[in-house]
Amino acid sequence: MDANAVERGGAKTEGPTWDLAPGDDSGASIVVMIGRQIRAWREAKGLRAVELGRLIGYGGDIVRKVERGARIPRPEYLDKADEALGANGLISAMKPDVLAVRYPKKPRNLSRLEGQAVEFSMYTIFCLHGLLQTEDYARAIMRTFRPLYQPKELERYVAIRIGRQRVLHRLPAPEFSFVAEEWALRRPVGGKAVMARQLEHLLEVADLPNVEIQVMPTANAQHPGLSGSLHLLKFPDGSAAGHSEDLNGSRPTTDPKVLRLLDLRYGIIRSQALTPAESRDFIEQLLGET
């Protein structure tokens, strides 16, 4: 078992590690500030770190790491510390800050944009979009990255990707449109069993009333998506953000000229792909062959 899975009395805790992501300086300053405040409350009560740990069900080493800003405290840690130290909600009130810095900076910014969007238009070429991936599929994809992720780092990024999928079930429900290339569905990422479960998952997600999944046939040799993947997010106030590999790389842009091009491209891509009903039949056929 990963050492990060054992934190309180030997009990397994779910989710990724809560160690601070390397290089996230802005997140580090927030974690240090939270740790200092908890330490100030503890010292005002005349408690040692190990004594506070005993009261809230954590080891003294975890308490010390949190207080020096070396570890992100879990929300339940803050609640227990708040109660034990009589902080009257002032420590618990830092939970939104904790959740915001849990993820490395770049994915956190993308997640923030996704959390605000009401319409998603996503075209991918080589693999399925992260919002559609199973945990095993995502892990298999990330194991191909170079340089290789260390095990803790790998699990951190897998958890980030899967955690982002909460947006699919958000209320009020955003509208999602995904177009994936046929070869992304045929490539047995992670092996046949992993890919079979991934295809099943696609069918499950496609059943959501706010989601449409379409497949671009490989036989369709010419369409505007061949220049790169495309992501377009639209927001309640009518604004938008997006990116395409050939236009602005992986950095989201709000440039109206680029957004118009992305909207035009995606409309053509979507019109040339199989319909959602045809795509579902195609995925079911592939699943039967897997």
Side-chain angles (χ1 to χ4, degrees):
M1 181 181 295
D2 192 304
N4 288 291
V6 181
E7 192 165 272
R8 292 180 295 174
K12 184 178 184 295
T13 54
E14 298 299 329
T17 174
W18 285 67
D19 293 329
L20 192 65
D24 189 357
D25 295 335
S26 62
S29 64
I30 293 173
V31 175
V32 168
M33 178 271 295
I34 291 172
R36 284 175 178 169
Q37 292 193 39
I38 296 173
R39 180 177 178 178
W41 278 97
R42 174 179 63 76
E43 291 179 342
K45 290 290 184 180
L47 295 173
R48 294 181 295 136
V50 69
E51 291 172 328
L52 175 59
R54 222 176 272 129
L55 288 174
I56 64 178
Y58 286 79
D61 59 330
I62 294 295
V63 174
R64 285 186 285 270
K65 283 183 178 180
V66 167
E67 291 185 355
R68 68 172 183 264
R71 192 170 184 85
I72 305 171
R74 296 174 181 267
E76 60 268 26
Y77 182 104
L78 297 181
D79 285 336
K80 289 178 178 294
D82 190 282
E83 182 179 356
L85 298 173
N88 297 316
L90 293 177
I91 294 177
S92 291
M94 294 186 285
K95 284 191 289 187
D97 300 306
V98 160
L99 293 173
V101 300
R102 185 183 185 188
Y103 302 129
K105 187 174 181 180
K106 184 175 177 180
R108 187 167 71 236
N109 291 340
L110 178 58
S111 179
R112 186 177 297 122
L113 286 176
E114 290 174 349
Q116 299 167 2
V118 294
E119 186 177 333
F120 292 66
S121 300
M122 309 294 200
Y123 164 73
T124 51
I125 300 179
F126 301 112
C127 60
L128 297 170
H129 191 278
L131 293 179
L132 298 176
Q133 295 178 8
T134 65
E135 184 175 328
D136 287 337
Y137 182 98
R139 185 176 291 108
I141 289 288
M142 293 184 190
R143 280 178 175 153
T144 69
F145 293 177
R146 295 296 185 274
L148 289 169
Y149 286 142
Q150 294 301 310
K152 277 183 15 178
E153 191 179 21
L154 173 65
E155 292 309 311
R156 180 198 299 274
Y157 281 100
V158 170
I160 291 168
R161 183 161 296 183
I162 300 307
R164 283 169 51 200
Q165 296 175 10
R166 289 191 298 270
V167 73
L168 293 166
H169 306 281
R170 197 182 74 208
L171 293 175
E175 293 294 325
F176 294 88
S177 172
F178 297 94
V179 179
E181 286 287 342
E182 174 184 340
W183 57 52
L185 300 177
R186 291 189 178 278
R187 181 175 291 114
V189 172
K192 288 187 176 181
V194 169
M195 198 61 203
R197 176 62 195 123
Q198 177 62 69
L199 294 174
E200 290 173 348
H201 181 67
L202 283 183
L203 296 173
E204 293 165 4
V205 175
D207 279 340
L208 296 174
N210 58 319
V211 176
E212 288 190 346
I213 297 176
Q214 294 177 253
V215 177
M216 177 65 76
T218 302
N220 191 343
Q222 296 183 0
H223 63 79
L226 296 179
S227 57
S229 62
L230 184 159
H231 298 175
L232 183 61
L233 306 178
K234 296 181 180 179
F235 306 102
D237 62 358
S239 62
H243 69 81
S244 179
E245 292 172 0
D246 67 317
L247 292 177
N248 60 310
S250 61
R251 176 174 294 180
T253 182
T254 56
D255 184 334
K257 293 181 180 179
V258 176
L259 294 176
R260 281 197 296 272
L261 283 174
L262 296 180
D263 208 18
L264 173 64
R265 284 188 186 183
Y266 191 74
I268 297 173
I269 290 169
R270 192 175 184 183
S271 70
Q272 294 184 2
L274 299 178
T275 68
E278 292 169 340
S279 298
R280 183 180 185 84
D281 290 342
F282 182 82
I283 295 169
E284 288 177 341
Q285 178 184 335
L286 284 183
L287 181 58
E289 296 171 358
T290 302

